[in-house]
Amino acid sequence: MKNNPRLYTGMLLLLLAGCNATKHIADGEHLFEEATVNIQNDTLDKDRKELFESRLQSFVRPEPTSKLKVALWNMGGGPDTTVGFIKRFIKRQGKPPVLLSEVNQEYNENLLRNRLENFGFFQAEVTSDTIIDGKKATVQFDALPGPGYKIREVSFDVDTTKQWGRDVASSQANTLLRKGNNYNLDVVINERERIDVDMKNKGYYYFNADNLLLDVDSTVGQHQVDMYMTVKPETAERAKQPQRIGKIVVFPDYKQTADGYTRRIPRGTEAYQNDYYIYDPNQKFRKKVLANHLFFHKGEMYNREDHNMTINHLVNLNTFQFVKNDFVDSKDSANTMDVYYYLTPMKPRTLRTELIAKTATVYDGIEGNVNWSLKNAFKGFETLTLSAFAGFETQSGGGVALNSNFIRYGAEAAISWPRLLSPYKWAPSRKYIPRTFTSLRYEFLDRRTAYTLSSLTYNFGYSWKENERKIHDLTVAEIIYAQPRNITPEYQALINNFPTLGHIIEPQFSFGPNYVYTFQNNMEDRTHTYFVRSALNTSGNVLGLIQGADASADSPEFLFGTRYAQFVRGEADFRHYWKLTPKTTFVTRAMIGLSHSYGNSRQLPYLKQFFSGGPNGMRAFRARSVGPGLTNVADLGIDEFFADQTGDFKVELNAEYRAPISGIFQWAAFVDAGNIWLQRADPSRPGAEITSKFYEQLAVGGGLGLRVDIDFLVIRTDFAIPFRQPHVRTNNGWVFNAIDFGDRDWRSKNLVFNLAIGYPF
C-alpha cells in the first residue's frame, strides 16, 4: 500500500484538534464533557441496573457534544465567522461545545426522578455533583430509587350492562398489565393503545386511547399497587357506538382543487360490485384490479385492520404519490360512515441513471446504468422496467492476468404484477401484496485478450410475504444460457496448462425452479435478532431422467444443440445479531453451500458455482481467490493472478464486533473463515475435492474496519490480512510468524483493502 502524506497529515490535525477541545472555552466557563448516572440500589441485578443507568443517562439535557464534533468545529475556526469556504464546510460537519453553564442540574434531577417513578420507583431521590478538571466538567447524578412497586391486582371497572362496556371488559384477557410485574408507565401507555386498537377492530371508530383512565392505588402496602382501568365519564356518546360502512367512493386519478376534497359521488358513477363507486372517466385503471385492494364492504362493521390493509395496499401498489382517505357520517342512516379514497397518481414514466465507481485491492472500474420504468403499464398497476448497463474493470495492481480486464454491457426487460398470475387460486396473505414477476436479460462480457461470453437469462415466478418476518420467492422457471466466443490462442494455451480455466468458457444451459425463503427480525429492537436465508435450485432433473443422461460414461444429452446441466443446489445463510449495548453489536454469520451434480453433469455450471473471498465474505483474500480446498491460486501461473476459483461446496464463518467511535464514525474488528471444494477430484488441482476433513482446510483471516454511517448510506473500509492459508504445509497453514508490516513485498501480497457500501452482513 502506498503511503499518503496528506491523509496522515489530516488525521494528525484532527487528532490534535480533538485533544484541544477547550480551545475556545472562555475563562470562567467549563466544557460539559459527560453526564453519568449511578443507581444506588443493591437489589437490582447487574444487567438491569446498567440498563436503567443507560436509559436515564440518555434523558439528561443538553447532551454533551462528541469530541469529534467539537474537533471539527474547532478546525473550522470555532466562533470565528470570517473563515473561508473550506473551513466553513468543516465547521458545518461539527458542533460547538456545550458549556456547564447550560446544564440546569435541578431540572435534570427532577426529570430523572420522574423517569424513575415511571419505572415503578415511587420513592426515588436524585442528587447531583459537578467534577471539575481544568476547563472540563462532568456532572454525576446519584439516584436512590428505593423499592420498586409491583402489580397486585388489575381490574377493568366499566359498565358491563352496555355493549361498549362488555367490549372493553372482554379485552382484559389479553392485558399487558400482569400480576407480579413491575409497574411501568410505558406498559400502561401500551395497554391503553392496545385496548384502543381492540375497540376499533370491533367497530368503534370514534373511540381512542384518551378515553381510557388508569387509576393506581399505591397504598395497599408491601410496595404493591392495585390498578383500575376505567372509561372517562365525559367520553362522547358516539365513541361508544360501533360504526358501519356506508358508501365507498374512490377517486383513482384525483387532483385536489382550491375547493378542497370532494365529498360527493360524481353524477353518472355506477356502483361496481354493489360496493364501490370508482370515478375514473379516463379509464386509466381496471376497476376489478383496484377493487381487489379495497377491504371494506358496504354494510359491514368498521374494522381497523381492514382500514390499515387498504391503505397499505394502495401505497404499496407503487402507483400513487398520495393516498388519503376520509370517513364522513352518512346522511342516510345512523352510526354509518361513508368512505372516500383520494388517490393521486405518480408520474407514470421515470428515467433514472446512475454511475458507480468500484475499487478493490488490485482492481478499479466504473459502471453506468440507465433504467426506464412505466407504472400502471397495462392499467392493472403493473410496472414495466427497461434497463441498459455498461461498464469496465481493469487490473491496477499485481501481475497482469489475461482474464482480469473486461468490458461488459447488456439490457433487461422486466414486468411486475401486484397479484399472483396462476391457473390455481391461492392467496398466501391478505395483509401483503403478492407479486408475479418475469424478466429477460442479455449480457455480453468481453475479456478482451481472453474470450467473450454472451448470456441470456429468463425468469418467471412469484414473491409474497407471509408476515413481517417471512418472505417467499418462487421462481417457477429460471433459464440460463451462456455461449463463449472468440477464445484467444493465448487463453487456449493457458487452458492447456491449467484445465480448470476451461470450465469458465464452457457453454452453459440450465433450467428449473428456484425457491428462496427469508426470515428476519433484525429490524426489531431486541437483544438477540436473526436473519436466515435458504435457497434450493434444481436443473434438468426430469429431462435427464427421461433421457437417461450419463456424463460419466461420456454420453451426455443435448437440448437445442447445447449440453444442459443436471444438478440440485442448496444454500443457507444464518446471521445472529447480539446487541451488547444500544450502540455496540456482535454479529456472527454461517454460510453453507451444497450441491450434487449427476446424470448429465459432473460439476455445477460456472455461473452456479460457489466462490469465496472479497469485501462481503473472506475479506483477507481477494474475490474468488480462496480454494478450492488446498489449491493455491499463485500456482496457476507465474506473476499472474486468476480470480476465478469456484467450487461445488462452500462453508464460510464470520464474526464481527461493531462499536461507535463518535458521531457518524464506527469501527469494527472481524475474523473470517471458509473455503470452497469440488464435488469430484480434479487432477489439475490436487486436494480440491470435498472430504470428511474439510474443516481442516479452512482459510482464516481478520482485520479492522472503519464505517461512516450517514443514515441513508454506510461507507465501509476494511483492512485485513490472512491468518491461515490452507495450501501452506508448515504450522498447519497458520502464517502468524510470517506477518511483517515493515516488509513492502509482504504488504503488497497480504494486506487487503476493501472499500464498499453497506455492511457485509
Side-chain angles (χ1 to χ4, degrees):
M1 186 184 359
K2 296 180 180 179
N3 293 329
N4 190 330
R6 292 183 179 178
L7 176 62
Y8 294 152
T9 302
M11 293 175 63
L12 180 60
L13 289 173
L14 188 60
L15 180 62
L16 291 174
C19 293
N20 192 17
T22 61
K23 176 179 179 180
H24 297 292
I25 304 297
D27 292 340
E29 291 281 9
H30 298 87
L31 171 70
F32 177 41
E33 190 173 37
E34 185 182 15
T36 61
V37 177
N38 297 319
I39 293 180
Q40 312 296 328
N41 188 314
D42 296 332
T43 62
L44 293 174
D45 62 72
K46 181 181 177 182
D47 290 341
R48 194 157 174 248
K49 180 180 176 182
E50 290 179 352
L51 176 62
F52 278 139
E53 289 176 340
S54 176
R55 291 192 64 183
L56 289 171
Q57 187 172 321
S58 68
F59 293 126
V60 176
R61 292 294 180 271
E63 292 183 76
T65 307
S66 71
K67 292 181 180 179
L68 177 62
K69 291 288 187 181
V70 175
L72 292 171
W73 189 77
N74 286 339
M75 290 178 64
D80 186 0
T81 59
T82 63
V83 296
F85 170 78
I86 295 177
K87 282 197 171 185
R88 280 200 302 272
F89 173 79
I90 297 174
K91 186 177 178 178
R92 284 197 298 268
Q93 313 312 309
K95 286 184 178 180
V98 176
L99 303 178
L100 178 63
S101 59
E102 300 175 49
V103 182
N104 187 329
Q105 292 181 219
E106 182 180 357
Y107 167 83
N108 281 293
E109 289 173 6
N110 292 332
L111 177 63
L112 298 183
R113 187 181 303 111
N114 175 262
R115 296 299 177 181
L116 284 168
E117 290 175 355
N118 292 346
F119 295 149
F121 300 102
F122 294 144
Q123 301 173 11
E125 294 182 12
V126 179
T127 61
S128 62
D129 192 16
T130 304
I131 302 171
I132 303 294
D133 180 14
K135 283 195 173 185
K136 299 179 182 179
T138 299
V139 179
Q140 178 177 304
F141 294 91
D142 292 309
L144 304 170
Y149 280 66
K150 295 182 179 295
I151 300 173
R152 189 182 76 163
E153 293 290 342
V154 178
S155 300
F156 277 46
D157 188 9
V158 293
D159 184 2
T160 55
T161 64
K162 304 288 179 58
Q163 182 61 47
W164 65 264
R166 291 192 292 271
D167 286 333
V168 172
S170 67
S171 69
Q172 184 174 355
N174 298 317
T175 183
L176 304 176
L177 304 173
R178 304 293 184 183
K179 294 180 181 180
N181 285 1
N182 292 318
Y183 172 87
N184 190 310
L185 181 61
D186 291 338
V187 178
V188 172
I189 294 172
N190 291 337
E191 171 68 359
R192 294 172 67 222
E193 292 176 350
R194 183 195 67 82
I195 297 172
D196 176 40
V197 171
D198 186 66
M199 291 293 285
K200 282 186 168 61
N201 280 328
K202 293 173 181 175
Y204 296 88
Y205 173 78
Y206 292 108
F207 193 90
N208 62 67
D210 290 337
N211 297 138
L212 296 165
L213 178 66
L214 186 72
D215 288 329
V216 180
D217 184 359
S218 60
T219 66
V220 297
Q222 297 182 343
H223 305 116
Q224 298 182 95
V225 296
D226 287 347
M227 311 179 80
Y228 304 91
M229 184 68 72
T230 63
V231 175
K232 295 177 182 178
E234 64 269 23
T235 299
E237 189 60 30
R238 73 172 184 171
K240 300 177 182 178
Q241 300 295 329
Q243 306 292 315
R244 292 191 176 275
I245 300 299
K247 301 182 183 68
I248 304 170
V249 187
V250 185
F251 298 91
D253 190 19
Y254 190 79
K255 296 179 178 63
Q256 187 177 1
T257 65
D259 297 331
Y261 290 97
T262 302
R263 290 187 175 180
R264 61 178 179 81
I265 301 174
R267 183 177 301 174
T269 305
E270 297 181 357
Y272 178 76
Q273 296 180 349
N274 297 319
D275 273 335
Y276 311 111
Y277 292 90
I278 301 175
Y279 180 68
D280 184 18
N282 296 320
Q283 298 183 356
K284 291 185 177 181
F285 306 92
R286 301 211 319 258
K287 294 181 180 179
K288 179 181 179 181
V289 179
L290 179 57
N292 288 337
H293 299 281
L294 304 173
F295 295 95
F296 281 137
H297 298 281
K298 185 177 181 180
E300 72 175 11
M301 200 70 73
Y302 169 83
N303 182 289
R304 173 53 64 91
E305 185 176 344
D306 288 344
H307 179 173
N308 290 338
M309 278 199 303
T310 299
I311 296 298
N312 288 338
H313 273 238
L314 294 175
V315 169
N316 290 317
L317 284 173
N318 297 325
T319 300
F320 301 111
Q321 184 177 10
F322 302 111
V323 174
K324 183 184 185 304
N325 78 310
D326 201 2
F327 293 88
V328 180
D329 289 335
S330 175
K331 299 178 181 178
D332 301 329
S333 56
N335 298 322
T336 301
M337 304 182 302
D338 294 335
V339 189
Y340 292 84
Y341 290 99
Y342 307 96
L343 314 177
T344 303
M346 300 177 181
K347 292 182 179 179
R349 297 171 181 82
T350 59
L351 181 65
R352 181 169 57 91
T353 61
E354 59 182 1
L355 190 64
I356 304 171
K358 301 182 292 183
T359 181
T361 304
V362 295
Y363 292 113
D364 295 297
I366 193 169
E367 181 175 305
N369 296 280
V370 179
N371 295 278
W372 179 85
S373 64
L374 175 63
K375 296 178 175 63
N376 195 41
F378 310 113
K379 299 186 178 182
F381 305 101
E382 306 86 356
T383 300
L384 169 65
T385 304
L386 303 177
S387 59
F389 57 90
F392 72 89
E393 187 173 286
T394 183
Q395 186 172 338
S396 57
V400 177
L402 278 174
N403 64 329
S404 60
N405 302 330
F406 68 78
I407 296 173
R408 60 185 286 268
Y409 57 84
E412 181 177 21
I415 304 175
S416 173
W417 293 265
R419 54 194 177 278
L420 299 177
L421 301 181
S422 169
Y424 307 100
K425 291 186 177 180
W426 56 296
S429 173
R430 293 174 70 240
K431 189 174 182 180
Y432 306 98
I433 299 178
R435 295 192 179 275
T436 302
F437 59 84
T438 187
S439 64
L440 181 64
R441 177 187 178 94
Y442 171 78
E443 180 175 331
F444 181 80
L445 175 68
D446 185 356
R447 287 284 186 183
R448 309 185 69 179
T449 58
Y451 58 86
T452 62
L453 187 69
S454 299
S455 62
L456 194 66
T457 303
Y458 173 75
N459 287 294
F460 176 84
Y462 309 102
S463 177
W464 69 95
K465 291 181 70 172
E466 183 178 339
N467 53 44
E468 283 290 343
R469 300 177 174 183
K470 301 176 182 179
I471 303 174
H472 304 263
D473 292 283
L474 174 62
T475 304
V476 179
E478 180 189 61
I479 304 173
I480 301 176
Y481 177 80
Q483 186 67 41
R485 294 278 192 274
N486 305 320
I487 302 169
T488 65
E490 294 84 359
Y491 192 74
Q492 186 61 56
L494 286 173
I495 295 175
N496 296 336
N497 293 326
F498 310 109
T500 179
L501 299 178
H503 186 50
I504 300 173
I505 58 170
E506 290 177 352
Q508 300 173 61
F509 186 20
S510 66
F511 53 90
N514 188 1
Y515 171 71
V516 179
Y517 169 77
T518 305
F519 171 90
Q520 58 181 345
N521 67 350
N522 52 328
M523 75 291 288
E524 301 173 10
D525 186 16
R526 296 186 176 190
T527 302
H528 297 278
T529 56
Y530 304 90
F531 172 92
V532 180
R533 182 185 183 276
S534 56
L536 180 65
N537 186 199
T538 66
S539 173
N541 296 303
V542 175
L543 182 61
L545 292 173
I546 293 174
Q547 293 184 332
D550 185 5
S552 62
D554 200 24
S555 58
E557 297 291 338
F558 293 80
L559 184 64
F560 304 121
T562 303
R563 178 175 171 175
Y564 60 86
Q566 190 174 358
F567 63 82
V568 178
R569 179 185 186 274
E571 59 181 317
D573 181 348
F574 177 86
R575 308 173 192 179
H576 173 225
Y577 300 84
W578 181 8
K579 186 178 291 186
L580 302 173
T581 72
K583 295 184 178 181
T584 304
T585 308
F586 182 65
V587 188
T588 54
R589 177 176 70 171
M591 296 180 64
I592 299 175
L594 306 171
S595 70
H596 179 65
S597 300
Y598 65 103
N600 216 40
S601 298
R602 298 285 292 169
Q603 61 181 320
L604 287 176
Y606 175 73
L607 294 177
K608 287 291 184 179
Q609 284 192 309
F610 302 102
F611 66 89
S612 192
N616 295 320
M618 300 283 293
R619 285 162 282 183
F621 303 87
R622 299 181 179 98
R624 297 176 178 262
S625 68
V626 179
L630 300 176
T631 303
N632 180 17
V633 176
D635 294 339
L636 295 180
I638 301 174
D639 295 329
E640 293 188 350
F641 174 70
F642 296 99
D644 277 312
Q645 302 309 300
T646 56
D648 304 309
F649 296 87
K650 176 178 180 177
V651 171
E652 188 169 303
L653 307 170
N654 313 89
E656 181 168 291
Y657 176 81
R658 301 170 183 169
I661 299 175
S662 181
I664 62 174
F665 294 97
Q666 303 173 3
W667 71 279
F670 55 86
V671 176
D672 307 314
N675 206 333
I676 58 173
W677 295 269
L678 301 180
Q679 179 180 337
R680 296 177 174 87
D682 182 350
S684 67
R685 290 181 287 181
E689 71 277 9
I690 189 77
T691 69
S692 59
K693 294 186 177 182
F694 67 91
Y695 53 87
E696 296 180 355
Q697 300 177 358
L698 296 179
V700 182
L704 299 173
L706 176 69
R707 287 89 170 90
V708 182
D709 188 346
I710 50 179
D711 294 331
F712 64 92
L713 181 69
V714 175
I715 302 173
R716 171 169 57 92
T717 62
D718 291 319
F719 288 90
I721 60 172
F723 298 158
R724 186 175 189 270
Q725 297 176 322
H727 65 273
V728 175
R729 296 294 185 262
T730 59
N731 297 325
N732 198 27
W734 296 100
V735 293
F736 286 111
N737 59 343
I739 296 176
D740 186 0
F741 287 99
D743 186 340
R744 182 175 182 179
D745 185 58
W746 179 90
R747 293 198 308 270
S748 66
K749 292 180 180 179
N750 296 277
L751 183 59
V752 178
F753 169 73
N754 295 292
L755 174 63
I757 301 298
Y759 292 104
F761 45 84

